[in-house]
Amino acid sequence: MAQIKRLSQSLTTNTTVFSALAIFGIGAYCTRSYFLQSAHAESNECPVMFSGLGFTTLRVQSVKAVNHNTKRLVFEFPDQNARSGLSLTSALLTFSRPKGRWLPVIRPYTPISDLNHQGTLELMVKQYPNGKSSTHIHSLVPGDTLTFLTSLKGFSWKPNLHPQVYMIAGGAGITPIYQLIRGILDNPADKTKINLVFGVNTEQDLLLRDELEEYKKRFPGRFDYVYTVSRLEEEKGGLKKGYVTEELLKGVLNGEKDTKVFVCGPPAMEASLTGSKGILARLGYNKGQVYKF
């Protein structure tokens, strides 16, 4: 994600690059649209919305507030038989021009909906203070549109790649983690066991809590989680008080050799976990065992 941040900063300060990208994107969009329409007309396969670089504009179908700074937005595909075409752990690069800005803002967001679902796609977006893209997206209402530039592939997951995986999420970093969780558990051929550690500031920040708890009910022997809340008056109902610390992780991670640890959260949390002297290294996990979204 650091590379994406550098990309967006570069684009906002270099109009020449932006112009070239826009021209290329429009050309790619026209070419892609032509071939998609032709291919769909000649086969019975569902059309794919995101198959390469090119502007794709989708209409907002619904908006739901999750808490004081997070919303879930459902976008509808022009063809209700279409599917996203995204692979597991993929993100989408959004392209928007917030009010009062001449140059656009480009930011990645991870869908939380089933990537094979036909007709719609759902994003969950947290609004950050002075966040140009997130503030713009939070202003959208049903009927408005949002443009997507391209898809970004993440970790290449294959069913049963590891018998056990650990996932550590902080705040809105749950979105790529959740996409991988549902991709594994909704696949009957995948028997991977998952343990999640989810750290947030307040109980209201436990995004996708209902969905995670439903998965635990459906897969009691394969999926489990630990919630830790830093601003909690007292521990209750399975909620731990505090941060994602080395002591906490010692009670969850077992140090297996054939396993993978996925991490996504605020920069400070990721810095404390990853790296040659981070918590995961001290717990015995080598660089190849840790993947940071």
Side-chain angles (χ1 to χ4, degrees):
M1 286 304 178
Q3 293 178 343
I4 301 303
K5 292 175 183 176
R6 289 195 295 269
L7 172 61
S8 63
Q9 291 171 353
S10 174
L11 289 174
T12 57
T13 57
N14 193 323
T15 56
T16 302
V17 174
F18 162 65
S19 299
L21 180 62
I23 293 171
F24 179 75
I26 292 170
Y29 170 75
C30 295
T31 302
R32 182 171 63 88
S33 297
Y34 171 78
F35 282 110
L36 277 177
Q37 292 170 1
S38 299
H40 184 45
E42 296 174 2
S43 72
N44 293 322
E45 294 184 3
C46 297
V48 171
M49 290 304 304
F50 306 101
S51 60
L53 181 64
F55 294 119
T56 301
T57 299
L58 301 180
R59 189 179 304 276
V60 178
Q61 183 182 87
S62 65
V63 179
K64 178 183 178 181
V66 177
N67 61 17
H68 67 287
N69 63 6
T70 305
K71 290 184 177 181
R72 296 173 67 149
L73 300 94
V74 176
F75 296 87
E76 57 186 19
F77 298 153
D79 186 334
Q80 290 303 298
N81 293 315
R83 56 186 180 84
S84 72
L86 301 174
S87 58
L88 199 57
T89 80
S90 292
L92 287 171
L93 203 58
T94 62
F95 179 98
S96 59
R97 183 174 290 117
K99 185 177 180 180
R101 289 184 59 84
W102 182 71
L103 290 175
V105 176
I106 298 176
R107 294 289 187 274
Y109 293 97
T110 304
I112 60 171
S113 50
D114 181 352
L115 299 180
N116 293 315
H117 181 72
Q118 292 177 291
T120 62
L121 176 140
E122 185 175 16
L123 298 182
M124 186 169 65
V125 178
K126 177 179 178 179
Q127 183 179 14
Y128 293 93
N130 302 317
K132 300 177 181 65
S133 179
S134 62
T135 298
H136 172 71
I137 292 175
H138 268 235
S139 73
L140 300 177
V141 297
D144 288 342
T145 60
L146 182 65
T147 298
F148 301 85
L149 180 58
T150 189
S151 61
L152 303 169
K153 290 186 177 181
F155 183 85
S156 182
W157 177 262
K158 296 179 180 178
N160 306 302
L161 184 61
H162 299 281
Q164 170 78 61
V165 295
Y166 297 102
M167 303 185 184
I168 307 173
I174 190 64
T175 53
I177 296 292
Y178 175 73
Q179 188 193 107
L180 183 54
I181 289 172
R182 76 174 300 166
I184 292 173
L185 296 178
D186 286 347
N187 183 354
D190 202 333
K191 307 302 180 183
T192 306
K193 294 184 178 181
I194 305 170
N195 283 81
L196 166 69
V197 176
F198 188 12
V200 295
N201 291 324
T202 70
E203 188 173 355
Q204 289 68 38
D205 296 323
L206 287 171
L207 308 174
L208 298 165
R209 185 176 184 177
D210 290 343
E211 288 84 349
L212 293 171
E213 292 178 356
E214 180 62 27
Y215 273 124
K216 184 175 181 177
K217 292 178 183 178
R218 289 174 54 196
F219 302 94
R222 289 183 52 204
F223 176 63
D224 202 0
Y225 54 75
V226 173
Y227 296 147
T228 183
V229 183
S230 60
R231 300 172 190 168
L232 190 67
E233 292 184 3
E234 59 180 357
E235 296 190 354
K236 60 177 181 178
L239 302 181
K240 291 183 175 294
K241 182 179 180 179
Y243 297 90
V244 178
T245 62
E246 183 171 351
E247 182 180 2
L248 173 65
L249 293 179
K250 280 182 180 179
V252 179
L253 281 64
N254 295 322
E256 301 96 332
K257 296 297 182 182
D258 187 15
T259 191
K260 196 82 173 179
V261 183
F262 295 91
V263 178
C264 190
M269 189 194 86
E270 291 187 352
S272 70
L273 292 170
T274 62
S276 59
K277 297 182 180 180
I279 291 174
L280 293 175
R282 296 198 296 272
L283 292 178
Y285 292 92
N286 61 51
K287 185 178 179 180
Q289 290 181 281
V290 179
Y291 182 86
K292 184 170 64 174
F293 284 105

